[in-house]
Amino acid sequence: MRTAYQYRLRPTASQVALMGEWLELLRRQYNYRLAERFNGWEQNRCNSHACPLTVCHLPVLKDKPTFDSQKRDLVNTKALFPEYQAIHSQVLQNCLQRVQRAFDRWLKGDRNGKRAGRPRFKGVGRYRSFTFPQMKQDCIRGQFIHLPKVGPVKLVQHRPLPDGFVIKTATVARKADGWYVTLSLQDPSVPEWSPDPPTWENTMGITWG
C-alpha cells in the first residue's frame, strides 16, 4: 500500500537559490529531450495512409530516442554544460522519465486506452518540482530533512510518519506560498495486488438477454 505525506519546508536563502536553479535547468532539459522525441517521431512517420509498394519506396527508419539512449547522453550534457553536474543524477534521470511518460500517454495511452494530448514544452516557471527516486530511511533527523546535494533543509513536520512505513521517494515542489516536500511511503505489511493476465481459463463473459 502506498500513501503520501506532505510537509512544508523552510529552506535558507542559498537553498532556495540552488533549488530554483535546479528547476530551471531541469525545465531546459525537459524541453530539449521532448524536442528530441518529436524529431524522432517526425522522421519515422509516414504522411501517406497507403501507397503501392511498386511506386512508393519506404525510407530507412532512423533510431528513435528512448529513455535509455537519452539517459546515456546525460554524460555529454554534463560535459557540455558543467552546471548540470550540480544536480543529483537520479533527479536528472527522473526528468527523462517524465518525458517518457508524457510521450507514451500521447501515443499509446494509459492502461485503459485513454490517450492524452500532445505534450507541451514547459515555459519559464512551469517546471515546479523535482523528485528523488531513492531516499534514505533516516533522512529526517530532528527538524531537518537531508536532501542529496541540497543538504539539511528545515522541515515543518506537523504529523509523524506512521510506524513501519518505508520512504520510497521524495518530491520537492515550489508553490505560490513556499516550498513543500511530498514523501511517498509504502507499507510492506500490505501485499500489492498484481492481477493475472486474462486467459480463456480465468475469463468469464456475461450477456444481457
Side-chain angles (χ1 to χ4, degrees):
M1 184 183 71
R2 296 288 286 265
T3 185
Y5 275 42
Q6 187 178 85
Y7 300 105
R8 189 183 181 96
L9 296 176
R10 300 289 188 185
T12 62
S14 59
Q15 290 173 340
V16 169
L18 176 62
M19 293 188 295
E21 183 180 1
W22 279 25
L23 290 179
E24 176 59 23
L25 292 175
L26 291 171
R27 182 189 70 87
R28 299 177 184 178
Q29 185 69 199
Y30 181 93
N31 290 339
Y32 177 75
R33 299 302 177 180
L34 185 60
E36 280 187 340
R37 293 298 186 102
F38 284 140
N39 292 336
W41 177 73
E42 289 289 346
Q43 292 173 356
N44 288 280
R45 68 190 296 261
C46 181
N47 296 324
S48 302
H49 176 68
C51 61
L53 295 178
T54 57
V55 177
C56 178
H57 300 282
L58 298 178
V60 179
L61 295 179
K62 299 182 179 180
D63 294 335
K64 293 183 180 180
T66 62
F67 171 75
D68 293 331
S69 64
Q70 291 182 330
K71 179 181 175 181
R72 290 191 297 267
D73 192 54
L74 287 178
V75 178
N76 299 327
T77 300
K78 293 181 180 180
L80 295 174
F81 306 98
E83 56 269 23
Y84 279 96
Q85 298 178 6
I87 303 179
H88 195 270
S89 59
Q90 292 184 352
V91 174
L92 270 174
Q93 296 171 13
N94 179 261
C95 178
L96 304 183
Q97 290 176 347
R98 296 185 184 188
V99 176
Q100 176 78 31
R101 287 194 297 265
F103 212 73
D104 286 345
R105 284 196 298 263
W106 176 46
L107 294 180
K108 302 178 182 179
D110 56 12
R111 60 183 179 182
N112 298 323
K114 185 177 181 180
R115 296 172 57 182
R118 180 186 176 98
R120 294 185 294 180
F121 294 102
K122 303 289 186 181
V124 177
R126 301 295 295 179
Y127 199 99
R128 302 189 182 98
S129 66
F130 55 88
T131 300
F132 296 94
Q134 294 180 347
M135 291 292 293
K136 295 182 178 180
Q137 299 308 307
D138 60 344
C139 60
I140 298 179
R141 305 168 193 170
Q143 297 180 351
F144 294 87
I145 179 172
H146 290 251
L147 301 176
K149 286 202 171 185
V150 178
V153 184
K154 190 172 182 180
L155 178 75
V156 182
Q157 193 174 4
H158 60 278
R159 59 174 176 172
L161 297 177
D163 296 334
F165 280 63
V166 179
I167 301 177
K168 302 299 291 185
T169 65
T171 300
V172 178
R174 179 176 59 189
K175 299 186 179 182
D177 59 342
W179 293 82
Y180 292 83
V181 60
T182 301
L183 301 178
S184 178
L185 309 175
Q186 183 179 21
D187 185 3
S189 63
V190 179
E192 294 186 2
W193 181 68
S194 55
D196 297 329
T199 61
W200 289 107
E201 288 75 17
N202 60 11
T203 304
M204 179 181 298
I206 300 177
T207 60
W208 291 83

